């Protein structure tokens, strides 16, 4: 079946090379199995736990794509900590060299149970007759996306800065990401429901403010000039 799937993917690419193909491997998808798709998939979105099991082998494959995301899908996500799960996810993606990260799923069935456990609710936005209703989980995701943009921007700006300023900025970036993502590498779908995995919020926001200030400082510096060899 997998060989037939690879053949079908090749058919799509041959018919229209600009087609953006997406895949979200999970379960028993090992590196050796996925390698024939290495140069065929444009958007990889594997289960994060799969990547944790084979970080080096799978990352080499997934980074061939134009986008490298991840997702997690623990049940009844309403009871998960908005900070320790939803807002942290973009930080985990940045830490692991991904271009994005998410969860399962943005909007799902219209579950309005008043008690957790009454149904598996995967959505973070609820559909209604008057339009979508957001949740604190979605708002935490939105702030996490802003955080990811800040991290990405600072890294990019630091790359153009003079050596001393670059080193200072990257050191701050590493410290902040390490602080926010500490302990996330040990998370499982089950343990998500046992503890929040959220860093100290006050210190987190202090790091965020320092990152913003560093970005503003670098913006005022002249860019480093490379001398021709």
């Amino acid at each position: 079946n997998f060989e037939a799937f690879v053949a079908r993917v090749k058919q799509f690419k041959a018919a229209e090379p600009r087609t953006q193909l997406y895949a979200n491997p999970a379960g028993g998808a090992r590196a050796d199995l996925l390698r024939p798709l290495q140069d065929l998939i444009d958007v990889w979105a594997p289960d994060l736990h799969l990547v944790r099991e084979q970080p080096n082998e799978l990352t080499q494959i997934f980074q061939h794509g134009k986008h490298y995301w991840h997702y997690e899908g623990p049940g009844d996500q309403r009871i998960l900590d908005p900070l320790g799960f939803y807002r942290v996810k973009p930080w985990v993606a940045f830490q692991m060299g991904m271009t994005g990260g998410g969860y399962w799923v943005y909007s799902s069935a219209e579950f309005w149970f008043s008690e957790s456990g009454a149904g598996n609710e995967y959505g973070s936005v609820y559909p209604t007759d008057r339009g979508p209703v957001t949740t604190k989980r979605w708002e935490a995701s939105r702030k996490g996306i802003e955080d990811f943009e800040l991290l990405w921007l600072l890294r990019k700006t630091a790359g153009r800065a003079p050596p001393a300023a670059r080193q200072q900025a990257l050191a701050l970036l590493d410290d902040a990401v390490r602080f926010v993502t500490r302990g996330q590498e040990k998370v499982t779908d089950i343990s998500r429901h046992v503890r929040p995995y959220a860093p100290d919020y006050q210190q987190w926001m202090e790091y965020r403010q320092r990152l913003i200030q560093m970005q503003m400082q670098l913006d005022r510096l002249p860019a480093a000039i490379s001398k021709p060899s």
Side-chain angles (χ1 to χ4, degrees), residues 129-145:
D129 295 338
R130 299 183 179 181
V133 174
T134 63
T135 62
K136 60 183 179 181
R137 306 189 302 279
W138 171 245
E139 294 302 323
S141 291
R142 183 176 61 81
K143 298 298 291 186
I145 293 169

Side-chain angles (χ1 to χ4, degrees), residues 76-119:
D76 202 359
Q77 297 183 17
R78 296 174 303 160
I79 63 176
L80 297 180
D81 182 70
L83 296 175
F85 180 67
Y86 291 90
R87 186 160 184 177
V88 160
K89 295 200 68 56
W91 291 75
V92 172
F94 184 88
Q95 176 204 34
M96 299 185 70
M98 300 172 176
T99 56
Y103 46 87
W104 199 271
V105 63
Y106 169 77
S107 182
S108 186
E110 298 184 44
F111 290 149
W112 289 92
F113 298 108
S114 59
E115 298 179 4
S116 62

Side-chain angles (χ1 to χ4, degrees), residues 25-89:
R30 320 313 293 176
D32 291 342
L33 179 71
L34 297 175
R35 194 159 283 114
L37 294 170
Q38 177 172 284
D39 299 314
L40 298 172
I41 301 299
D42 302 279
V43 181
W44 288 103
D47 183 351
L48 181 59
H49 302 307
L50 184 69
V51 182
R52 296 288 195 197
E53 295 172 3
Q54 312 166 78
N56 297 326
E57 300 89 339
L58 287 178
T59 297
Q60 291 175 1
I61 295 175
F62 297 151
Q63 286 184 338
H64 277 252
K66 296 178 181 178
H67 298 283
Y68 174 23
W69 306 335
H70 76 266
Y71 78 91
E72 288 184 89
D76 202 359
Q77 297 183 17
R78 296 174 303 160
I79 63 176
L80 297 180
D81 182 70
L83 296 175
F85 180 67
Y86 291 90
R87 186 160 184 177
V88 160
K89 295 200 68 56

Side-chain angles (χ1 to χ4, degrees), residues 135-193:
T135 62
K136 60 183 179 181
R137 306 189 302 279
W138 171 245
E139 294 302 323
S141 291
R142 183 176 61 81
K143 298 298 291 186
I145 293 169
E146 293 177 358
D147 293 345
F148 185 92
E149 292 176 345
L150 171 61
L151 299 174
W152 178 86
L153 179 61
L154 180 56
R155 183 176 61 187
K156 182 178 179 180
T157 306
R160 302 192 301 262
R166 180 190 310 134
Q167 183 177 3
Q168 183 181 7
L170 293 179
L172 173 61
L173 193 62
D174 289 343
D175 285 345
V177 173
R178 189 180 305 112
F179 168 77
V180 174
T181 60
R182 184 177 299 128
Q184 290 286 332
E185 67 279 355
K186 299 180 181 179
V187 178
T188 66
D189 284 353
I190 296 176
S191 66
R192 283 282 185 203
H193 297 275

Side-chain angles (χ1 to χ4, degrees), residues 150 154 207-217:
L150 171 61
L154 180 56
Y207 265 119
R208 189 176 189 273
Q209 187 59 34
R210 289 172 61 191
L211 293 169
I212 293 173
Q213 292 173 348
M214 178 63 72
Q215 172 62 34
M216 295 173 65
Q217 292 175 14

